[in-house]
Amino acid sequence: MSFKVMAVCAGRHGGNGEILAKEALCAVQEAGGEVELVNLFDYNILPCTGCEGCTMQMGKVGAGLQKEYHGCVLKDKDDVDALVSEMQTCQGIIFAAPTYDLVPSSLYIRFAQRFLAYELSFLLAIGAVEENPHTVAGLISVGGSMHDWQSLALESLQATMFTMSLTVVDRFLAQRNGRPGNVLVWEDQLPRARKMGENIVRAIQTPVEERGWLGDADDGVCPNCHSSLIYPGDKHWDGIEFPWECAVCGAGGDLAIDETTGRPKLKVAENGLIRDRNNDAARAEHLNEINKTRDDFFLHLDEVKPLMERYAKMEFPTLEIERA
Ligand SMILES: Cc1cc2nc3c(=O)[nH]c(=O)nc-3n(C[C@H](O)[C@H](O)[C@H](O)COP(=O)(O)O)c2cc1C
């Protein structure tokens, strides 16, 4: 079976993320896969305008009020559509992003927040994408510090995987890398990146229904997505509540000490995966929440219109920049 794996790098040219991504791709190539590397610094990526044009259209097409889905309003204005279209031809994607201020760099986030217009289950439903590529993903966060100063890095990368139904099978936090090439100083980082490439190939070559986690067994606190971020849960829009929730995938349950590792682990409740963001059906429920919020708003439109006008007319001193 032929397969293609793409690495999407958001770090410096010749930087640490790019070196790790290349090492992972070498393993893919040696296993007979076609490979591709893109560095986001080479592309024009506009920020999501927040217009909600994509989700509004999805609602209309779903309700039969609009025939065709035209996608993102920025589709012909930058390179994101070309990048995502290329990603859609791959069975595996490795994302390598540098950690800035605990989270993935803004360049990566700017790119990933455009994924909403490419919600896979919707594109499949309307036939815009013919076949689910069941794409698997490997995530690399690379930073100058250890976990304590990269505490939101991998989890934020994971959070960008859901809309395009990318299944994370491995993740790796590359630590203590400052200057470009720093990864080459450590004995374990290149082999770990290579292992990620091998894991991606293994996942691709495993039947979809048998695929599972191939990353480090003890990684994270959530047994569902392996994130380390569990927080005390609050009521959801429809009253559902869990004592503890995974900040990334939304699994709910209780915190317990794992007998083998002696470390805290989320014990997923019987119904704890009903909000699992990896699950297309659970995410469709979130679409219901969005639609309900929108419908409620439109019911109040007459009351809020004059208030909106009042705020639109309000003016405050701002910073004027003179442009030539
Ligand atoms: C603006 C900025 C913020 C940074 N913040 C962090 C941080 O919060 N945690 C960390 O571990 N490293 C941080 N770093 C270090 C980079 O993550 C590190 O240099 C990394 O190796 C860059 O990856 P690259 O070589 O692929 O570009 C920061 C670097 C910059 C430029």
Side-chain angles (χ1 to χ4, degrees):
M1 182 192 85
S2 66
F3 60 95
K4 185 156 97 180
V5 176
M6 183 185 201
V8 176
C9 179
R12 295 167 286 191
H13 280 292
N16 296 303
E18 211 180 76
I19 293 171
L20 293 170
K22 284 180 175 174
E23 185 65 16
L25 289 184
C26 284
V28 176
Q29 216 165 24
E30 283 161 28
E34 192 186 329
V35 294
E36 210 171 356
L37 170 77
V38 295
N39 188 313
L40 296 181
F41 274 115
D42 295 332
Y43 300 91
N44 178 22
I45 298 168
L46 294 170
C48 168
T49 64
C51 71
E52 296 183 59
C54 58
T55 51
M56 297 273 276
Q57 284 185 74
M58 287 177 193
K60 282 185 189 158
V61 173
L65 301 170
Q66 183 179 318
K67 262 197 187 151
E68 256 184 81
Y69 176 63
H70 304 293
C72 180
V73 290
L74 299 174
K75 196 172 169 182
D76 303 316
K77 297 196 164 59
D78 68 359
D79 299 328
V80 170
D81 193 62
L83 285 163
V84 173
S85 301
E86 193 59 27
M87 284 163 69
Q88 284 166 342
T89 67
C90 297
Q91 290 72 45
I93 305 176
I94 293 165
F95 294 91
T99 303
Y100 290 178
D101 299 337
L102 314 184
V103 295
S105 65
S106 59
L107 177 61
Y108 176 77
I109 294 294
R110 183 169 168 137
F111 175 55
Q113 287 179 348
R114 296 280 300 283
F115 292 173
L116 185 57
Y118 301 89
E119 161 71 52
L120 184 73
S121 48
F122 171 76
L123 295 184
L124 282 168
I126 62 165
V129 173
E130 278 177 24
E131 213 182 312
N132 188 338
H134 293 292
T135 315
V136 294
L139 309 178
I140 302 173
S141 286
V142 55
S145 298
M146 298 187 74
H147 193 186
D148 59 327
W149 267 90
Q150 296 199 67
S151 48
L152 307 172
L154 282 171
E155 281 72 12
S156 307
L157 278 184
Q158 283 177 272
T160 63
M161 297 292 115
F162 305 123
T163 41
M164 295 218 301
S165 301
L166 300 166
T167 305
V168 179
V169 293
D170 190 9
R171 54 172 223 165
F172 160 44
L173 189 69
Q175 309 176 34
R176 305 204 58 212
N177 297 304
R179 298 299 301 155
N182 206 153
V183 281
L184 302 169
V185 167
W186 306 111
E187 272 178 16
D188 55 340
Q189 300 201 5
L190 286 180
R192 183 62 186 83
R194 179 164 275 272
K195 179 95 187 117
M196 174 168 291
E198 290 164 3
N199 284 340
I200 289 289
V201 174
R202 205 171 128 198
I204 291 171
Q205 293 177 338
T206 303
V208 173
E209 56 287 354
E210 290 169 30
R211 286 178 189 167
W213 180 249
L214 298 171
D216 304 337
D218 295 338
D219 190 10
V221 183
C222 174
N224 192 44
C225 75
H226 293 268
S227 107
S228 298
L229 297 180
I230 308 294
Y231 70 101
D234 296 303
K235 253 193 188 62
H236 296 201
W237 69 287
D238 55 358
I240 290 277
E241 196 172 0
F242 297 109
W244 295 90
E245 270 183 50
C246 173
V248 175
C249 72
D254 259 316
L255 269 186
I257 297 295
D258 185 280
E259 280 176 17
T260 32
T261 62
R263 288 166 67 90
K265 201 96 192 166
L266 181 73
K267 197 169 173 296
V268 178
E270 217 167 287
N271 66 341
L273 293 181
I274 53 168
R275 289 288 142 84
D276 180 9
R277 288 185 259 270
N278 293 295
N279 181 309
D280 288 353
R283 270 205 333 281
E285 192 52 34
H286 175 55
L287 208 57
N288 288 339
E289 175 188 1
I290 293 171
N291 289 336
K292 172 89 172 59
T293 304
R294 192 174 286 154
D295 290 348
D296 288 350
F297 170 73
F298 284 129
L299 280 178
H300 290 91
L301 199 55
D302 288 345
E303 304 153 40
V304 300
K305 243 186 177 164
L307 290 169
M308 282 172 72
E309 274 160 29
R310 202 177 103 201
Y311 284 101
K313 278 187 201 139
M314 261 185 218
E315 293 212 358
F316 291 91
T318 189
L319 177 67
E320 309 281 353
I321 308 266
E322 285 202 24
R323 302 195 194 275

